[in-house]
Amino acid sequence: MPANIVTVFGASGFVGRHVVRELASRGWRVRAAVRRPANANYLRPLGKLGQVDIVQANVRYRPSISAALDGASAVVNLTGILANQGRNKFDAVHAAGARNVAEMATKAGIDRIVHISAIGANANSESDYARSKAEGEEAFREYAPSAVILRPSIIFGPQDEFFNRFASMAQLAPALPLIGGGKTRFQPVYVDDVADAVAIALSDDQYKGKTYELGGPEVMSFKELMQLMLKIIGRKRILAPLPFGMAGLMAQLARPSGWTPFFDAPITPDQVKLLKYDNVVGEAGDADGTIEDFGIRPETMEAILPTYLYRYRKAGQFSPETV
């Protein structure tokens, strides 16, 4: 595949850097399509000299998508946001942006396409995030029917916004909130396993036009995830149950000021809505397979989390192992 070019939209994000590295290691020439190329130069060393190119593109602007796809033979769409900010709204990025990429890729004659969605994508969800993710999936099914749709659960890894966020809070806060009592179940998946699935899906025709849900080997409640994180960083904190209604109100009040009595807005009102539903493989019942169908044996959290959460221990890397 050394002559093949794959355009990766959203390459500068947490998942993007791992996907870029994996694709480069498999011989692809990677065109990293990002909104701010000047801030993405760290992607270049992930491949051999000249193997990773960085171009400007925004999924909200079709001409930039067309330019980024010129000469490419494959596409990966990783663009996603966790909260509305400025002109980057859920509908604009997850729905309209996905439709733009799907349409332009098909127009360019590209049929090797991978689109990253999320477990919980649901057109009827009360969450704007989940609803827009479902609309993005539908856009690819309509305009790029050969696309492989991947729905990961929470993705963990060195730059994740889940374990890092709560571990950072645990350094100072005496208590961590258990929204909804911490009963919501998750099936976290390691970012490098997701990157492997992307690369395999892109290269093998048997996956075309199918949807896969990606989860790790462990299903844990939100409370259990917090307990595991605290054990790894060697800290004891109160885990305080917080009803959904109060959590939603506090998140709503925190957005303008960035402050609440308990924590510094680690969650949005829309994410509170998401936490009302389990985030595990098989809940939707409409997927064609799981991460195991790619021949991947997913990593456990206990094997990976200590490799980057150690920095939240009292003595950092010099603290004794706790797991």
Side-chain angles (χ1 to χ4, degrees):
M1 285 184 199
N4 283 1
I5 298 175
V6 54
T7 298
V8 180
F9 291 98
S12 60
F14 161 46
V15 179
R17 68 180 70 198
H18 292 266
V19 169
V20 167
R21 182 176 60 192
E22 184 60 33
L23 291 173
S25 73
R26 292 173 183 254
W28 287 92
R29 290 173 56 195
V30 181
R31 183 179 293 158
V34 300
R35 287 189 299 145
R36 298 182 178 88
N39 296 335
N41 284 319
Y42 59 85
L43 296 174
R44 296 188 190 277
L46 299 180
K48 297 178 181 178
L49 184 63
Q51 189 179 10
V52 178
D53 188 24
I54 302 174
V55 300
Q56 197 284 328
N58 188 323
V59 296
R60 294 188 286 113
Y61 299 105
R62 292 166 68 91
S64 70
I65 297 173
S66 179
L69 293 174
D70 186 33
S73 57
V75 180
V76 178
N77 182 41
L78 300 171
T79 52
I81 55 176
L82 296 176
N84 290 322
Q85 187 172 16
R87 282 182 280 183
N88 289 316
K89 309 290 187 184
F90 289 137
D91 288 340
V93 177
H94 296 162
R99 183 171 61 251
N100 289 339
V101 172
E103 284 191 58
M104 302 306 290
T106 298
K107 185 177 180 180
I110 302 171
D111 67 349
R112 291 191 179 276
I113 304 169
V114 173
H115 171 64
I116 297 292
S117 182
I119 287 180
N122 185 338
N124 299 314
S125 175
E126 63 177 311
S127 160
D128 292 337
Y129 174 90
R131 190 168 56 252
S132 63
K133 280 291 189 180
E135 291 174 6
E137 288 187 10
E138 189 56 35
F140 273 93
R141 293 191 185 100
E142 179 179 354
Y143 296 102
S146 68
V148 182
I149 296 174
L150 302 180
R151 298 173 181 161
S153 183
I154 288 176
I155 302 176
F156 66 92
Q159 305 86 22
D160 72 51
E161 295 191 34
F162 183 80
F163 288 108
N164 278 302
R165 173 170 296 187
F166 286 102
S168 178
M169 288 172 54
Q171 288 182 301
L172 298 175
L176 297 178
L178 293 180
I179 297 170
K183 298 177 181 179
T184 308
R185 298 183 304 146
F186 297 90
Q187 195 169 348
V189 60
Y190 181 39
V191 64
D192 279 352
D193 291 333
V194 174
D196 283 341
V198 170
I200 294 168
L202 207 62
S203 305
D204 195 327
D205 288 347
Q206 69 172 302
Y207 302 107
K208 282 186 175 180
K210 297 179 181 179
T211 300
Y212 295 87
E213 295 190 335
L214 310 182
E218 305 138 312
V219 175
M220 291 187 178
S221 68
F222 184 83
K223 180 179 181 179
E224 290 171 332
L225 292 175
M226 293 299 97
Q227 290 172 331
L228 175 61
M229 178 273 294
L230 289 171
K231 178 182 178 183
I232 289 172
I233 67 174
R235 295 178 185 271
K236 294 182 179 180
R237 294 292 182 266
I238 297 170
L239 296 177
L242 189 64
F244 284 119
M246 183 171 292
L249 177 61
M250 292 174 66
Q252 185 66 45
L253 294 174
R255 302 326 295 173
S257 64
W259 180 87
T260 70
F262 296 102
F263 50 89
D264 186 13
I267 196 166
T268 68
D270 195 74
Q271 289 167 346
V272 172
K273 296 176 183 177
L274 281 174
L275 283 171
K276 295 179 181 179
Y277 305 94
D278 290 340
N279 194 271
V280 299
V281 170
E283 289 294 301
D286 62 347
D288 296 293
T290 67
I291 195 168
E292 284 80 8
D293 290 287
F294 295 96
I296 297 170
R297 184 179 180 182
E299 291 281 1
T300 65
M301 287 181 281
E302 288 199 2
I304 301 299
L305 293 179
T307 66
Y308 65 94
L309 290 184
Y310 66 84
R311 59 183 177 270
Y312 299 104
R313 298 171 184 160
K314 291 182 180 179
Q317 62 181 317
F318 302 106
S319 297
E321 290 288 340
T322 56
V323 174

